[in-house]
Each structure stands twice: as structure tokens, then as C-alpha cells.
Amino acid sequence: SAELCLLPALAALLPPLPGPGGPGPAEAGLAALPAGLRAAVRSLVGDLDSLFTALGLREESFAVGALSRVVAAELASYAPARNRRRTATNKASVIFVDRTLDLAGAVGHHGDNLAEKILSVLPKLPGHKTDVMVNMVELTALQTTDETCNIIAPGCLAQPNDPAAKALWESFMNLKQKEAVMEARRHLVEAASRENLPIKMSMGEVTPEQLSSYIQLFRNNLKALENHCGLLQLVLATVQTLKHPQTSKWDNFLAFERLLLQTIGDSEMPSVLNQLLPMIKSYNERTKDDYTCEDFLVLLIYIYSVFGEIKCGKELDAAEEEVKKALVKAICDEPEPSALLQKIT
């Protein structure tokens, strides 16, 4: 989008976590980092220099976190960057922040944002870190309930050649979910009107079923499909996200996180873990509303991130041991462990 540029090639770049004795090796500078991380930092510095060259920027760097200081120092001493700063005309402040300093933000569910939900729940487009697969079967005459049907190529979110789709994506990112869904309906109605499709405009709340019925109007009209293909992909992504079971679970996460933030001052970590324990269920005991193993890992990251100082002791050790046991059992009972669980085990 106009305000956000992602560097997917570096999606796996994470600061080394501090060991038991305090800060990690990143404190000592680039030379102290493992070879793979050194290469990733140099690659990031090269990419950023290319980006700043294209924008004609002379940057002043600030860093929050150990690895960010290393990146900022490397960029400052990088020879091509020094040459660029001598001739660039535009000034900018660049702030580097270690990703591990805000894990609560990355795993929390406080955003009322449609783009975030679409990117969270729909499957990733193969080979991509920042785009998703949109099931296009609804636009065809092929009616199948097979989730893995791959005869029809998936749609995606990146629609650089469709001005209406680009504008809609901006509203997915910048508006609240309710407003963004209304924008999706408005764009669909405008597109259908331009193609003289028999659309019945309805007021009130937008439902995924209503959007689906509008999409069906385009189905047998190849010219209309071609003209508005980008827009239809984004609206289909919206429909599939709103109907996705993970979206209804989003509110459960949010409720738990709010409850946790309210009780955090009064309760110790062991009591929070003991509350969590009965919710950890094996595959055979779970219903669709229960948390999966991955959901628990996300919740645990959130809990430990927002808790701050945790008092060690026998009570904490006992509570953590029980949670570990329950999680290990749940992970071992998974009939088809996800890629993440396989990596962990």
C-alpha cells in the first residue's frame, strides 16, 4: 500500500533471543552473530540502501533493540550508502525496532482490521510470504465441495492493474472491519451497474451471503468477469474470511486477552496457567470452538509477553510442568500435525 512496504525475502530474520545470562550476542556487533544471521543483516542493509536510493533519501537512523543497533551501524558504515547520503536531496528518520520486543502485538487479536484477518486466516499463496490463496470456484460453473480443488488457479490480494481493487485494499487496511465490508459492497454494486447486471441494492448490515449473491451475477458474463477480476478476487477473499472458523475464534482470543489484561495485576502467573490448563484438549476431545495446539502457543506467547516480571518458585515450576504435559499430549495426539508442529517436534 502507499504507507506500507514489506520485505518478504527477509521474513525469517529474527533477533537472537537473550540467553539466561542477559542480552544475546547481538550486543557485541555483527562479528559476534552466527554466519546465517550476518548474511541476512548484510542482505537487509543492501535492500534498504536500494530502496532509499530509489526514494532519493538521506536517512538518520535510530535503533531500539540489540539487533536493530547492529543493522543501523552496518547501514551507517555501508560504502554505497555513504555515497548516496552525500548526494540525496530528501531527508528521513529511520527507526529500526527488534521484532522480539513486541511479540504481544504480533500475536494479539486487538485489531479490528479486515486486511489483518484475511492475511491471518486464508492459506498462503505458494512461494509467497505476504499474499494468500483466494478460492475462485464460486465464479465458475464447476461446483465442488472439495477444499483442495486445484483445477482452478487461486486468486490473490495483489491487484496492481485494477484501480478499484487497489482502492478497496487500501480501505481494508485503513478502515474498521464493518466500514471495509461496506466498501466491498459499494464497489461491487458500482461494478455491476457499469456492466448492466441486474443488481438489487440493499441497505443495512453486509453479510457474506449478500456479497456472494452479488458475485454470482458476474459468473456467466465473461466480459464483466474480465473487467472486474481483481475486485472480485478481493471480495471473494472477504467472503471466505468472514465465513472462516478461525474468524469466529478471533473474538474468543480477544475476550481471553482482555480478561487477562484485567486480572494481570491481581493474579500471579501460576494461577493464570492453572486457568488455562482445562482448556488444553487433545484432538479427540476438541470441538470447533476449542483452541488448537497452535492457538495455545500463540496464547502462551501473549501471556508471557504482557506479564512483565514473573516470580520464579516451586508453584510456577509445578504450573508450567502441568501445562507442558498437557501440550505435549495434545501435540502427540494430533492425527495430522501442521508444518509448524512438525518443525517444533
Side-chain angles (χ1 to χ4, degrees):
S1 82
E3 286 84 23
L4 182 66
C5 172
L6 298 173
L7 302 176
L10 296 146
L13 176 59
L14 276 167
L17 290 168
E27 287 289 10
L30 189 70
L33 297 178
L37 193 54
R38 274 206 304 275
V41 166
R42 289 193 175 118
S43 171
L44 172 60
V45 166
D47 285 357
L48 287 172
D49 181 57
S50 303
L51 179 66
F52 296 163
T53 303
L55 298 170
L57 290 187
R58 182 169 82 251
E59 83 282 358
E60 191 179 359
S61 296
F62 301 89
V64 182
L67 188 69
S68 292
R69 278 198 287 281
V70 173
V71 173
E74 280 300 299
L75 184 62
S77 59
Y78 186 56
R82 283 211 296 265
N83 297 336
R84 166 178 52 75
R85 284 193 291 269
R86 279 199 281 274
T87 56
T89 49
N90 304 320
K91 283 172 78 172
S93 297
V94 179
I95 305 170
F96 295 97
V97 184
D98 279 20
R99 291 165 71 177
T100 41
L101 293 178
D102 182 29
L103 286 179
V107 297
H109 294 75
H110 294 264
D112 181 21
N113 181 286
L114 190 57
E116 186 181 354
K117 288 184 183 172
I118 292 172
L119 290 166
S120 299
V121 307
L122 293 188
K124 287 275 173 274
L125 196 62
H128 289 255
K129 292 273 194 248
T130 57
D131 210 338
V132 297
M133 289 201 286
V134 181
N135 188 333
M136 305 291 281
V137 171
E138 215 171 311
L139 286 173
T140 69
L142 174 71
Q143 291 312 305
T144 172
T145 51
D146 180 11
E147 285 289 309
T148 56
C149 168
N150 56 6
I151 301 168
I152 294 161
C156 65
L157 301 173
Q159 302 296 337
N161 305 322
D162 186 333
K166 279 174 77 172
L168 184 57
W169 178 246
E170 287 281 346
S171 55
F172 284 3
M173 292 187 73
N174 298 321
L175 300 177
K176 286 193 157 55
Q177 180 177 321
K178 194 175 174 183
E179 295 162 3
V181 175
M182 287 173 83
E183 275 297 290
R185 177 172 68 183
R186 184 178 69 77
H187 277 282
L188 259 192
V189 170
E190 281 179 11
S193 304
R194 273 206 294 280
E195 300 294 340
N196 295 322
L197 298 173
I199 196 152
K200 292 185 180 70
M201 180 58 182
S202 54
M203 302 307 289
E205 197 174 343
V206 188
T207 63
E209 290 72 27
Q210 183 191 63
L211 291 177
S212 272
S213 70
Y214 288 175
I215 288 167
Q216 295 296 325
L217 296 172
F218 290 81
R219 208 172 85 187
N220 298 320
N221 186 328
L222 285 179
K223 195 79 196 124
L225 265 180
E226 196 179 338
N227 290 344
H228 305 286
C229 190
L231 179 67
L232 291 167
Q233 287 173 63
L234 286 191
V235 181
L236 275 170
T238 304
V239 170
Q240 287 157 28
T241 299
L242 295 175
K243 286 182 171 176
H244 200 283
Q246 196 63 28
T247 304
S248 57
K249 223 187 251 184
W250 193 281
D251 298 328
N252 297 355
F253 269 109
L254 183 56
F256 187 86
E257 287 163 15
R258 284 193 174 144
L259 188 68
L260 182 72
L261 291 176
Q262 284 165 3
T263 58
I264 219 163
D266 312 322
S267 49
E268 296 293 331
M269 181 61 95
S271 69
V272 173
L273 291 177
N274 291 334
Q275 271 179 312
L276 204 63
L277 197 56
M279 295 155 67
I280 304 177
K281 294 176 182 170
S282 287
Y283 179 80
N284 297 329
E285 304 163 344
R286 282 202 299 265
T287 66
K288 66 177 176 42
D289 295 327
D290 287 324
Y291 291 120
T292 63
C293 299
E294 283 102 322
D295 294 339
F296 272 105
L297 294 169
V298 166
L299 271 179
L300 286 168
I301 291 169
Y302 185 82
I303 290 168
Y304 278 84
S305 298
V306 297
F307 225 91
E309 288 296 312
I310 298 168
K311 289 196 191 92
C312 296
K314 283 183 183 165
E315 206 185 342
L316 178 66
D317 292 346
E320 286 185 335
E321 204 54 45
E322 288 301 314
V323 169
K324 279 183 203 171
K325 269 188 210 156
L327 260 179
V328 167
K329 183 180 183 312
I331 290 171
C332 292
D333 288 349
E334 284 294 310
E336 291 175 23
S338 65
L340 174 69
L341 291 184
Q342 287 179 34
K343 198 172 171 184
I344 289 169
T345 50

